[in-house]
Amino acid sequence: MDFRIITSSDGMWDAVRDYADGCSWKAGKSLADAMDNQLFTEWERVIVAMDNQSISGYCTVAKTDCIPDVPYTPYIGYLFVGEAYRGNRLSQELIRYAMDYLKAVGFDRVYLVTDHENLYEKYGFEVIDRKTAPWGSVEKIYMKNLKEKESRLWRKN
């Protein structure tokens, strides 16, 4: 598996945008719209997992997520793994790659928003807040300290 950090000037941008737009997850269309509208600026990026020439998953690193008016930044968002690649810890690898990138550009913590239960805790994330999303569901905001040693980043299941 190969991981790439892309921006709108990357030759893969349109292919990843099309993949997100056509994926089975409804939020993929929102990512495609964000990519169309050049909403990724400064250090914000799309991270894509590639299996040879096939896109197998993606996530983003961005200043904000779906919960408005909170002081948290940066976020890992839009985490998606294609059905054919699930069960191989690709989500874990995308998260690790995103955290490495964020640490390299100077951040010491990272956040993510989800309604999933007991998924991100195994990666060392802790719930720090709960907020209502614009669509009405209560979402958890997780935080992970990027200064922790590697041995603590991934807890055994």
Side-chain angles (χ1 to χ4, degrees):
M1 198 66 56
D2 182 34
F3 297 89
R4 299 181 192 168
I5 298 172
I6 64 170
T7 64
S8 60
S9 63
D10 192 288
M12 289 190 62
W13 189 259
D14 290 339
V16 174
R17 181 252 173 249
D18 292 346
Y19 179 85
D21 190 49
C23 80
S24 61
W25 182 38
K26 65 182 177 183
K29 291 196 181 308
S30 177
L31 173 57
D33 288 344
M35 293 174 78
D36 282 342
N37 291 306
Q38 305 294 321
L39 297 183
F40 294 88
T41 61
E42 298 177 42
W43 51 265
E44 295 175 298
R45 300 288 186 269
V46 175
I47 298 171
V48 60
M50 300 291 296
D51 181 19
N52 293 314
Q53 298 300 316
S54 297
I55 298 169
S56 51
Y58 56 78
C59 71
T60 62
V61 289
K63 294 174 192 171
T64 61
D65 204 314
C66 59
I67 306 294
D69 303 320
V70 292
Y72 315 117
T73 196
Y75 287 90
I76 296 172
Y78 290 110
L79 179 62
F80 176 79
V81 173
E83 288 79 0
Y85 297 93
R86 293 181 183 166
N88 297 306
R89 299 190 181 268
L90 186 52
S91 292
Q92 176 178 321
E93 293 303 315
L94 281 162
I95 291 168
R96 183 188 315 248
Y97 203 84
M99 289 191 316
D100 287 347
Y101 169 75
L102 290 168
K103 191 173 182 179
V105 297
F107 291 101
D108 59 4
R109 50 179 65 102
V110 64
Y111 302 88
L112 59 85
V113 176
T114 188
D115 62 353
H116 290 291
E117 294 291 332
N118 300 317
L119 176 59
Y120 296 101
E121 290 87 347
K122 66 184 173 185
Y123 304 138
F125 283 84
E126 296 179 18
V127 176
I128 60 161
D129 208 344
R130 294 174 195 273
K131 297 285 185 184
T132 302
W135 51 89
S137 69
V138 175
E139 305 282 325
K140 294 185 291 287
I141 300 175
Y142 284 85
M143 191 270 299
K144 170 91 177 115
N145 185 342
L146 298 177
K147 291 183 178 182
E148 291 182 18
K149 293 184 180 181
E150 182 68 23
S151 63
R152 294 195 55 211
L153 286 178
W154 307 107
R155 297 178 182 165
K156 292 183 180 180
N157 296 337

